[in-house]
Each structure stands twice: as structure tokens, then as C-alpha cells.
Amino acid sequence: MSRTPLRCRYRTALVTGAGAGLGRAFSDMLRAEGVEVWGTSRRPETLGAAERFHPVAFDLADGDSAAEALVGRVAEESGGLELLVHNAGYGVFGGILDQPLSVWRAQLDAMLGGSFALNRAAFASMAPRGRGAIVNVTSMAVEFPIPYFSGYNIAKAGLAALTESLMLEAPMSGITFLDFRPGDYRTGFNQAMYASTPKTLSACAQRVARRLDATLEASPPPQRAALDLRRALSRGRSGVVRSGSFFQTVLGPLGVRLMPLALRRAAMARYFGVR
Ligand SMILES: NC(=O)c1ccc[n+]([C@@H]2O[C@H](COP(=O)([O-])OP(=O)(O)OC[C@H]3O[C@@H](n4cnc5c(N)ncnc54)[C@H](OP(=O)(O)O)[C@@H]3O)[C@@H](O)[C@H]2O)c1
């Protein structure tokens, strides 16, 4: 692994959802590498003070102008945004008919619409300087959609497609685009998700929820994902980066390429106990 500190490549970074889980680990890693970090939360007062850390309020649900204002503010305060790690996101669990349409719509507006606006603003800010990096934290759900997670599957697949679109449109921009796909990491993700989950779930959805909880409980801490991100940023090459266990990042994607779709779907249904 390159031992050159990341600050030699990126002086300033904006990390969305920097208060907990993966975002916190990414932010801590970047600060340890000497990068000045602007980190967001919907409740910035909970972020606390730390060296090279600037708390900022941001809610993906607040629309295009909030995303543009965030990037504008960070660019101004930092003297130029050089790295965006767009990590913020949340799950909504339940069958398509179990959650009101407004809940699905809100998730898509925030995680697809908000992410698009944020990427566009960061790209506009970096393009004139001809350097920087935009990292979108997607998910292995892009390759393995999770049952009872339709809004999340759509949002993450869309975010991956947006990252690929930027790679296609702007290969000579001097900007690195990363689709960073975590497998399972032990964070408060499921806890946050269950806060908005209906009390009555079908037996099948309950089996899926138990599987999701067991997998998350047995998964590695988010600091491991931060090491993978560090490695990818040091390489400075655009592309897809899978982060997690050998099964999730190597065997699974290989299976996706080799297995017929019907067989893959059956394997996923069996894994989650969907019947
Ligand atoms: N953990 C995993 O196994 C896993 C696997 C694949 C992908 N991911 C992705 O990794 C990212 C981080 O998840 P995590 O596991 O670290 O979960 P987490 O601990 O629940 O963190 C989610 C972060 O997103 C922020 N957030 C949630 N909704 C937001 C909104 N509407 N506007 C702005 N910020 C919002 C939260 O910030 P505040 O509450 O402070 O505002 C929080 O910091 C997510 O995008 C998730 O989809 C996680």
C-alpha cells in the first residue's frame, strides 16, 4: 500500500453522514491522513469537535438548493473542494405495499435526487480546477438486490449508474470517480432502518430481517472499509471498488457473471428465506 499520506493528493474533503458508522470511519481515516474534513449530519451539534474537522448541517431530503449550498459553503471555507465522499444514506424496510407511497417517494427523492444534485455541484466545483475525486458509497445491493428493500435497491443502483455516467462523460476531467460498494459492515444502519419499519411484518419479511440482522452483527467494523477507501484513493483511478468479505466482493460478483439470472434469484431467495 502507498505510504504517501492522502493529504498530498487531497487537502480538503466533504464527507456526508460523517457522525456514525462508515462515514465516521472515513472521516477519521482522512483526518489521520492530514486531510481537512467538512463532515455533515442532520444534527451537526451531535458531531463533536475534533482536529481538522468542520461540522456542517445537511439533509439529503432538503432538495437541490441545499446540496448546492453545501458544496458552495465548503468550497468557500476550504479554498477549494478536492474530495467528496458521499456516504449518507438510509434504508426503508418492508414490502412495496407495506409502506405508504410517500415513504418510498421520500427515500427516492433524498437518495437519488439529493445525491444527483450533490454530485453535480461537486463536479461543477472541481471541473474548472481539473482535479479532485468524487466517491459515491453505493452497496453490494447494486449487484445483489435485497428483498423488502426496493427503494434502497433502486437508489443505490441509480447512484452506481450516476458514477458510471460521470466516468463515461468526463474521463479527461482530471477527476477520479469511485463507485465504492461496501458489503456488510457492523454499524447502526439496521437500527436506523427499523425506526421507520411497520410493527406488523409478514412472516417472510421477518425472516429476511433476522437474516439482515445476523449478517450485520457478524460483519467487520467500519474501519476496515476505511482502509479499502484509503487504498483506492491512493491509486487515484476511477472505477468500482468492492469492500468486504472475500465471498461478498469476489465470489459473489463472479457468480453474478457466471450464473443464469433465474438461478441467482433462487440462490438469493434461499439465502434470505423468501418463500
Ligand atoms: N453498513 C453496511 O453494511 C453498509 C453496506 C452497504 C452500504 N452501506 C452504505 O453506507 C452508508 C453509511 O451507512 P452506515 O452503515 O454507516 O449506516 P449509519 O450508521 O446508519 O449511517 C448513516 C449516515 O447517513 C446519514 N443520513 C441518513 N439519512 C440522511 C439524510 N436524509 N440526509 C443526510 N444524511 C443522512 C446519517 O447522518 P445523521 O443521522 O447524523 O444525519 C448517518 O451518518 C449508507 O449510504 C449505506 O447505504 C452500508
Side-chain angles (χ1 to χ4, degrees), residues 6-268:
L6 282 179
R7 71 166 173 273
C8 299
R9 225 179 241 277
Y10 310 106
R11 285 181 311 105
T12 61
L14 167 59
V15 179
T16 61
L22 289 169
R24 174 69 188 266
F26 296 149
S27 168
D28 288 349
M29 177 277 288
L30 290 168
R31 292 191 306 103
E33 293 283 319
V35 179
E36 205 73 27
V37 174
W38 277 255
T40 80
S41 166
R42 286 164 294 180
R43 288 166 297 126
E45 67 281 3
T46 62
L47 287 171
E51 206 185 350
R52 288 190 287 279
F53 186 76
H54 310 262
V56 199
F58 178 60
D59 188 334
L60 275 169
D62 281 349
D64 299 349
S65 51
E68 284 164 1
L70 171 69
V71 170
R73 173 181 166 179
V74 175
E76 193 179 311
E77 285 180 13
S78 66
L81 174 62
E82 298 186 351
L83 168 64
L84 166 66
V85 180
H86 176 36
N87 157 82
Y90 66 100
V92 172
F93 188 76
I96 286 178
L97 301 181
D98 295 338
Q99 292 278 11
L101 184 55
S102 57
V103 169
W104 296 123
R105 165 70 71 187
Q107 186 181 31
L108 294 176
D109 284 351
M111 285 176 61
L112 263 184
S115 297
F116 190 95
L118 191 65
N119 270 251
R120 188 174 180 277
F123 182 45
S125 177
M126 291 175 192
R129 300 155 65 99
R131 56 191 292 266
I134 295 178
V135 179
N136 283 314
V137 178
T138 63
S139 169
M140 289 304 293
V142 172
E143 286 152 275
F144 302 99
I146 302 166
Y148 300 100
F149 238 37
S150 53
Y152 186 83
N153 294 332
I154 295 166
K156 291 299 188 182
L159 190 55
L162 168 61
T163 320
E164 188 67 34
S165 302
L166 286 166
M167 286 184 228
L168 282 169
E169 268 182 42
M172 308 307 281
S173 62
I175 300 168
T176 303
F177 302 104
L178 286 180
D179 170 352
F180 188 85
R181 293 186 186 172
D184 290 301
Y185 281 100
R186 203 166 54 245
T187 68
F189 184 86
N190 284 7
Q191 255 169 293
M193 172 178 87
Y194 289 130
S196 64
T197 300
K199 296 283 167 282
T200 47
L201 287 173
S202 67
C204 184
Q206 287 180 37
R207 277 196 298 278
V208 173
R210 280 197 294 276
R211 168 60 84 172
L212 290 173
D213 287 344
T215 311
L216 210 73
E217 190 53 38
S219 60
Q223 287 73 18
R224 226 174 88 184
L227 290 179
D228 287 341
L229 180 61
R230 187 201 176 282
R231 205 172 296 124
L233 287 171
S234 301
R235 273 198 302 269
R237 274 200 309 273
S238 293
V240 175
V241 176
R242 296 180 183 85
S243 169
S245 69
F246 183 70
F247 179 76
Q248 288 184 331
T249 60
V250 180
L251 288 184
L254 188 67
V256 166
R257 260 174 261 139
L258 300 180
M259 268 193 227
L261 183 58
L263 191 60
R264 198 197 320 161
R265 208 177 281 133
M268 287 292 283

